[in-house]
Amino acid sequence: MILGVGTDLANIERIAATLERFGDRFRNRVFTEIEQAKAERRRDVAGTYAKRWAAKEACSKALGTGLRMGIAWKDMAVSNLPTGQPVMHVTGWAAERLAEMTPPGHDAIIHVSLTDDHPWAQAFVVIEARPVTSGPA
């Protein structure tokens, strides 16, 4: 069952200007060390940050709270599987909110999709609840 859906569109040029103006202060407030390392290795640094910014916004919307209800930027983090597929991890208040909205007997799975086409970066997040299945009898 679907528990929440969120989307966000971020302007890459706006993120680039914010990075230029605030530098590490912005990076350290919004992005985890893993997210920063990924972005700084990429040719399109600002685009990589913009996609992760959009993913955090989309995740907060899927959680039904937005960023004004106690979720910190770093409570949501995007990493990538070896295949390149993005994965959203939640901690802190975001993890508490996810647990609250997940029905008993279910596991929550956060699906995330990222894309960009300069000057736009976009993210979709779908939170799914899957029934917990017991192993073979």
Side-chain angles (χ1 to χ4, degrees):
M1 93 181 59
I2 302 299
L3 299 179
V5 177
T7 185
D8 192 66
L9 186 66
N11 185 289
I12 296 169
E13 292 171 0
R14 184 176 136 241
I15 297 296
T18 302
L19 287 164
E20 189 172 315
R21 182 172 178 198
F22 297 105
D24 285 343
R25 195 168 117 209
F26 172 67
R27 282 182 195 88
N28 294 332
R29 185 174 140 253
V30 176
F31 302 101
T32 65
E33 289 180 16
I34 292 169
E35 290 172 314
Q36 290 180 47
K38 170 81 173 182
E40 297 300 327
R41 285 193 310 266
R42 302 297 299 262
R43 189 178 68 215
D44 183 11
V45 173
T48 302
Y49 279 121
K51 285 186 280 190
R52 278 146 180 76
W53 170 280
K56 291 169 186 266
E57 287 274 7
C59 185
S60 71
K61 293 170 185 174
L63 289 168
T65 62
L67 284 159
R68 297 182 185 192
M69 302 206 35
I71 294 178
W73 286 104
K74 288 183 170 182
D75 284 350
M76 301 164 289
V78 178
S79 65
N80 295 84
L81 297 176
T83 60
Q85 177 184 348
V87 180
M88 178 68 71
H89 306 276
V90 293
T91 58
W93 201 88
E96 291 174 23
R97 172 67 183 142
L98 182 62
E100 287 173 10
M101 62 191 291
T102 304
H106 289 74
D107 287 327
I109 295 102
I110 302 173
H111 304 276
V112 60
S113 180
L114 307 174
T115 191
D116 65 291
D117 187 6
H118 196 85
W120 301 107
Q122 187 172 32
F124 287 96
V125 170
V126 175
I127 301 175
E128 174 189 11
R130 288 189 189 157
V132 175
T133 57
S134 56

